[in-house]
Amino acid sequence: MPLPILVSSEKTIPVSVRWSEPDRDEGGWIRFQVPLDIGGLTESGLVLEGGTYMRHPDRNVSFELCLLGLGRNRRIPLVRVDWKSLRGGHSNQPKHGCICKIKRVPPTHIHTFEDNWNADRAEMKRGDLPCAEPVTEDLQSFESLRDYVGSRFRINNISVVPRPDWRYDLFSED
């Protein structure tokens, strides 16, 4: 199925979603990866990934729609939402021809498929989704972020993604 159709199709998550145990070497990074169905059939290689740090509650969450295992490209990111990124945002480089002309977007932003798709070459632009735009919705909670991702990624049952079991600490680094 062509990438634009994969992205624009209605999708569902056919399995239960569980966050991983925290990585020891990456500051407690947790993640999940689940397949996606289109029209009741699991689309080979199409997955939803999520990740966040256990020690940074309600911050630095990423959701990404990507395609795995295609020839020499093991992983092709298609769309990503970064929420309250600890890196402070994303810089759009003019050389990538980004639709969004804002050079530096805020910590909550989306790397849309349309802005990172090279229609003339029928492929994704080089780099890890090099173009982003600000998210204009007011996403104050994980649940509002999750609903936004479901809408933008066209995942009908996004509510099956559970809230991370963040560790809240009065003495955290935040």
PDB file of all heavy atoms in Angstrom, residues 90-94 98-106 115 130-134 136:
ATOM      1  N   HIS A  90      12.120  22.088  18.148  1.00  0.00           N
ATOM      2  CA  HIS A  90      12.714  21.523  16.931  1.00  0.00           C
ATOM      3  C   HIS A  90      13.068  22.664  15.991  1.00  0.00           C
ATOM      4  O   HIS A  90      12.313  23.626  15.865  1.00  0.00           O
ATOM      5  CB  HIS A  90      11.705  20.578  16.257  1.00  0.00           C
ATOM      6  CG  HIS A  90      12.136  20.104  14.915  1.00  0.00           C
ATOM      7  ND1 HIS A  90      12.971  19.024  14.746  1.00  0.00           N
ATOM      8  CD2 HIS A  90      11.861  20.576  13.676  1.00  0.00           C
ATOM      9  CE1 HIS A  90      13.182  18.846  13.453  1.00  0.00           C
ATOM     10  NE2 HIS A  90      12.518  19.780  12.789  1.00  0.00           N
ATOM     11  N   SER A  91      14.208  22.557  15.329  1.00  0.00           N
ATOM     12  CA  SER A  91      14.627  23.559  14.343  1.00  0.00           C
ATOM     13  C   SER A  91      14.365  23.061  12.934  1.00  0.00           C
ATOM     14  O   SER A  91      14.872  22.011  12.538  1.00  0.00           O
ATOM     15  CB  SER A  91      16.120  23.873  14.505  1.00  0.00           C
ATOM     16  OG  SER A  91      16.356  24.501  15.725  1.00  0.00           O
ATOM     17  N   ASN A  92      13.563  23.807  12.186  1.00  0.00           N
ATOM     18  CA  ASN A  92      13.335  23.513  10.773  1.00  0.00           C
ATOM     19  C   ASN A  92      14.467  24.133   9.964  1.00  0.00           C
ATOM     20  O   ASN A  92      14.787  25.303  10.141  1.00  0.00           O
ATOM     21  CB  ASN A  92      11.997  24.095  10.309  1.00  0.00           C
ATOM     22  CG  ASN A  92      10.814  23.333  10.850  1.00  0.00           C
ATOM     23  OD1 ASN A  92      10.844  22.124  10.969  1.00  0.00           O
ATOM     24  ND2 ASN A  92       9.757  24.057  11.173  1.00  0.00           N
ATOM     25  N   GLN A  93      15.051  23.351   9.090  1.00  0.00           N
ATOM     26  CA  GLN A  93      16.135  23.828   8.238  1.00  0.00           C
ATOM     27  C   GLN A  93      15.580  24.160   6.854  1.00  0.00           C
ATOM     28  O   GLN A  93      14.870  23.341   6.265  1.00  0.00           O
ATOM     29  CB  GLN A  93      17.223  22.760   8.112  1.00  0.00           C
ATOM     30  CG  GLN A  93      17.825  22.329   9.440  1.00  0.00           C
ATOM     31  CD  GLN A  93      18.536  23.465  10.142  1.00  0.00           C
ATOM     32  OE1 GLN A  93      19.243  24.243   9.525  1.00  0.00           O
ATOM     33  NE2 GLN A  93      18.335  23.555  11.452  1.00  0.00           N
ATOM     34  N   PRO A  94      15.891  25.353   6.330  1.00  0.00           N
ATOM     35  CA  PRO A  94      15.367  25.754   5.019  1.00  0.00           C
ATOM     36  C   PRO A  94      15.680  24.752   3.904  1.00  0.00           C
ATOM     37  O   PRO A  94      14.886  24.590   2.984  1.00  0.00           O
ATOM     38  CB  PRO A  94      16.057  27.092   4.750  1.00  0.00           C
ATOM     39  CG  PRO A  94      16.439  27.605   6.089  1.00  0.00           C
ATOM     40  CD  PRO A  94      16.709  26.400   6.940  1.00  0.00           C
ATOM     41  N   CYS A  98      10.582  22.865   4.255  1.00  0.00           N
ATOM     42  CA  CYS A  98       9.467  22.646   5.173  1.00  0.00           C
ATOM     43  C   CYS A  98       8.318  23.595   4.863  1.00  0.00           C
ATOM     44  O   CYS A  98       8.536  24.767   4.565  1.00  0.00           O
ATOM     45  CB  CYS A  98       9.922  22.844   6.620  1.00  0.00           C
ATOM     46  SG  CYS A  98      11.254  21.717   7.112  1.00  0.00           S
ATOM     47  N   ILE A  99       7.107  23.074   4.955  1.00  0.00           N
ATOM     48  CA  ILE A  99       5.911  23.888   4.736  1.00  0.00           C
ATOM     49  C   ILE A  99       5.823  24.968   5.815  1.00  0.00           C
ATOM     50  O   ILE A  99       5.552  26.115   5.540  1.00  0.00           O
ATOM     51  CB  ILE A  99       4.644  23.001   4.728  1.00  0.00           C
ATOM     52  CG1 ILE A  99       4.679  22.043   3.542  1.00  0.00           C
ATOM     53  CG2 ILE A  99       3.388  23.859   4.691  1.00  0.00           C
ATOM     54  CD1 ILE A  99       3.625  20.946   3.590  1.00  0.00           C
ATOM     55  N   CYS A 100       6.060  24.559   7.052  1.00  0.00           N
ATOM     56  CA  CYS A 100       6.048  25.502   8.175  1.00  0.00           C
ATOM     57  C   CYS A 100       7.310  26.358   8.090  1.00  0.00           C
ATOM     58  O   CYS A 100       8.422  25.834   8.098  1.00  0.00           O
ATOM     59  CB  CYS A 100       5.999  24.749   9.508  1.00  0.00           C
ATOM     60  SG  CYS A 100       6.043  25.822  10.952  1.00  0.00           S
ATOM     61  N   LYS A 101       7.137  27.643   7.990  1.00  0.00           N
ATOM     62  CA  LYS A 101       8.287  28.543   7.832  1.00  0.00           C
ATOM     63  C   LYS A 101       8.864  29.026   9.161  1.00  0.00           C
ATOM     64  O   LYS A 101       9.797  29.812   9.179  1.00  0.00           O
ATOM     65  CB  LYS A 101       7.899  29.741   6.966  1.00  0.00           C
ATOM     66  CG  LYS A 101       7.462  29.343   5.569  1.00  0.00           C
ATOM     67  CD  LYS A 101       8.536  28.536   4.858  1.00  0.00           C
ATOM     68  CE  LYS A 101       8.102  28.115   3.473  1.00  0.00           C
ATOM     69  NZ  LYS A 101       8.925  27.081   2.895  1.00  0.00           N
ATOM     70  N   ILE A 102       8.313  28.535  10.276  1.00  0.00           N
ATOM     71  CA  ILE A 102       8.867  28.891  11.585  1.00  0.00           C
ATOM     72  C   ILE A 102      10.174  28.126  11.757  1.00  0.00           C
ATOM     73  O   ILE A 102      10.202  26.899  11.641  1.00  0.00           O
ATOM     74  CB  ILE A 102       7.884  28.524  12.716  1.00  0.00           C
ATOM     75  CG1 ILE A 102       6.569  29.265  12.537  1.00  0.00           C
ATOM     76  CG2 ILE A 102       8.505  28.811  14.080  1.00  0.00           C
ATOM     77  CD1 ILE A 102       5.471  28.810  13.488  1.00  0.00           C
ATOM     78  N   LYS A 103      11.253  28.862  11.992  1.00  0.00           N
ATOM     79  CA  LYS A 103      12.561  28.214  12.099  1.00  0.00           C
ATOM     80  C   LYS A 103      12.672  27.332  13.336  1.00  0.00           C
ATOM     81  O   LYS A 103      13.163  26.218  13.269  1.00  0.00           O
ATOM     82  CB  LYS A 103      13.670  29.260  12.104  1.00  0.00           C
ATOM     83  CG  LYS A 103      15.061  28.649  12.117  1.00  0.00           C
ATOM     84  CD  LYS A 103      16.121  29.686  11.850  1.00  0.00           C
ATOM     85  CE  LYS A 103      17.498  29.160  12.060  1.00  0.00           C
ATOM     86  NZ  LYS A 103      18.029  28.341  11.041  1.00  0.00           N
ATOM     87  N   ARG A 104      12.183  27.803  14.473  1.00  0.00           N
ATOM     88  CA  ARG A 104      12.243  27.022  15.717  1.00  0.00           C
ATOM     89  C   ARG A 104      10.834  26.858  16.265  1.00  0.00           C
ATOM     90  O   ARG A 104      10.196  27.833  16.637  1.00  0.00           O
ATOM     91  CB  ARG A 104      13.140  27.737  16.740  1.00  0.00           C
ATOM     92  CG  ARG A 104      13.307  26.997  18.034  1.00  0.00           C
ATOM     93  CD  ARG A 104      14.383  25.950  17.924  1.00  0.00           C
ATOM     94  NE  ARG A 104      14.585  25.298  19.219  1.00  0.00           N
ATOM     95  CZ  ARG A 104      15.144  24.136  19.354  1.00  0.00           C
ATOM     96  NH1 ARG A 104      15.585  23.495  18.290  1.00  0.00           N
ATOM     97  NH2 ARG A 104      15.294  23.593  20.529  1.00  0.00           N
ATOM     98  N   VAL A 105      10.350  25.611  16.283  1.00  0.00           N
ATOM     99  CA  VAL A 105       9.010  25.337  16.796  1.00  0.00           C
ATOM    100  C   VAL A 105       9.099  24.988  18.279  1.00  0.00           C
ATOM    101  O   VAL A 105      10.157  24.587  18.766  1.00  0.00           O
ATOM    102  CB  VAL A 105       8.291  24.228  15.993  1.00  0.00           C
ATOM    103  CG1 VAL A 105       8.069  24.662  14.556  1.00  0.00           C
ATOM    104  CG2 VAL A 105       9.045  22.921  16.057  1.00  0.00           C
ATOM    105  N   PRO A 106       8.007  25.148  19.027  1.00  0.00           N
ATOM    106  CA  PRO A 106       8.024  24.938  20.475  1.00  0.00           C
ATOM    107  C   PRO A 106       8.186  23.464  20.873  1.00  0.00           C
ATOM    108  O   PRO A 106       8.122  22.577  20.013  1.00  0.00           O
ATOM    109  CB  PRO A 106       6.677  25.493  20.927  1.00  0.00           C
ATOM    110  CG  PRO A 106       5.804  25.439  19.735  1.00  0.00           C
ATOM    111  CD  PRO A 106       6.708  25.599  18.542  1.00  0.00           C
ATOM    112  N   ASP A 115       4.399  17.349   5.409  1.00  0.00           N
ATOM    113  CA  ASP A 115       5.567  18.229   5.410  1.00  0.00           C
ATOM    114  C   ASP A 115       6.872  17.455   5.222  1.00  0.00           C
ATOM    115  O   ASP A 115       7.901  18.033   4.886  1.00  0.00           O
ATOM    116  CB  ASP A 115       5.620  19.032   6.714  1.00  0.00           C
ATOM    117  CG  ASP A 115       6.354  20.344   6.564  1.00  0.00           C
ATOM    118  OD1 ASP A 115       6.682  20.742   5.426  1.00  0.00           O
ATOM    119  OD2 ASP A 115       6.620  20.981   7.594  1.00  0.00           O
ATOM    120  N   PRO A 130      12.518  15.743   9.240  1.00  0.00           N
ATOM    121  CA  PRO A 130      13.204  17.011   9.465  1.00  0.00           C
ATOM    122  C   PRO A 130      12.316  18.244   9.611  1.00  0.00           C
ATOM    123  O   PRO A 130      12.778  19.282  10.068  1.00  0.00           O
ATOM    124  CB  PRO A 130      14.101  17.144   8.233  1.00  0.00           C
ATOM    125  CG  PRO A 130      13.387  16.377   7.160  1.00  0.00           C
ATOM    126  CD  PRO A 130      12.751  15.224   7.886  1.00  0.00           C
ATOM    127  N   CYS A 131      11.045  18.145   9.235  1.00  0.00           N
ATOM    128  CA  CYS A 131      10.158  19.312   9.287  1.00  0.00           C
ATOM    129  C   CYS A 131       9.088  19.121  10.365  1.00  0.00           C
ATOM    130  O   CYS A 131       8.508  18.046  10.492  1.00  0.00           O
ATOM    131  CB  CYS A 131       9.489  19.523   7.937  1.00  0.00           C
ATOM    132  SG  CYS A 131      10.649  19.801   6.582  1.00  0.00           S
ATOM    133  N   ALA A 132       8.831  20.189  11.109  1.00  0.00           N
ATOM    134  CA  ALA A 132       7.813  20.146  12.165  1.00  0.00           C
ATOM    135  C   ALA A 132       7.042  21.452  12.192  1.00  0.00           C
ATOM    136  O   ALA A 132       7.492  22.465  11.663  1.00  0.00           O
ATOM    137  CB  ALA A 132       8.472  19.897  13.519  1.00  0.00           C
ATOM    138  N   GLU A 133       5.886  21.408  12.825  1.00  0.00           N
ATOM    139  CA  GLU A 133       5.081  22.612  13.024  1.00  0.00           C
ATOM    140  C   GLU A 133       4.521  22.594  14.438  1.00  0.00           C
ATOM    141  O   GLU A 133       4.402  21.526  15.049  1.00  0.00           O
ATOM    142  CB  GLU A 133       3.965  22.705  11.990  1.00  0.00           C
ATOM    143  CG  GLU A 133       2.988  21.560  12.030  1.00  0.00           C
ATOM    144  CD  GLU A 133       1.985  21.609  10.881  1.00  0.00           C
ATOM    145  OE1 GLU A 133       2.406  21.731   9.723  1.00  0.00           O
ATOM    146  OE2 GLU A 133       0.782  21.506  11.176  1.00  0.00           O
ATOM    147  N   PRO A 134       4.209  23.745  14.977  1.00  0.00           N
ATOM    148  CA  PRO A 134       3.660  23.791  16.337  1.00  0.00           C
ATOM    149  C   PRO A 134       2.305  23.086  16.419  1.00  0.00           C
ATOM    150  O   PRO A 134       1.540  23.097  15.457  1.00  0.00           O
ATOM    151  CB  PRO A 134       3.478  25.277  16.620  1.00  0.00           C
ATOM    152  CG  PRO A 134       4.242  25.994  15.570  1.00  0.00           C
ATOM    153  CD  PRO A 134       4.335  25.075  14.393  1.00  0.00           C
ATOM    154  N   THR A 136      -1.199  23.464  17.828  1.00  0.00           N
ATOM    155  CA  THR A 136      -1.966  24.632  18.281  1.00  0.00           C
ATOM    156  C   THR A 136      -2.984  24.285  19.364  1.00  0.00           C
ATOM    157  O   THR A 136      -3.441  25.173  20.074  1.00  0.00           O
ATOM    158  CB  THR A 136      -2.696  25.301  17.095  1.00  0.00           C
ATOM    159  OG1 THR A 136      -3.535  24.327  16.463  1.00  0.00           O
ATOM    160  CG2 THR A 136      -1.683  25.846  16.082  1.00  0.00           C
TER     161      THR A 136
END
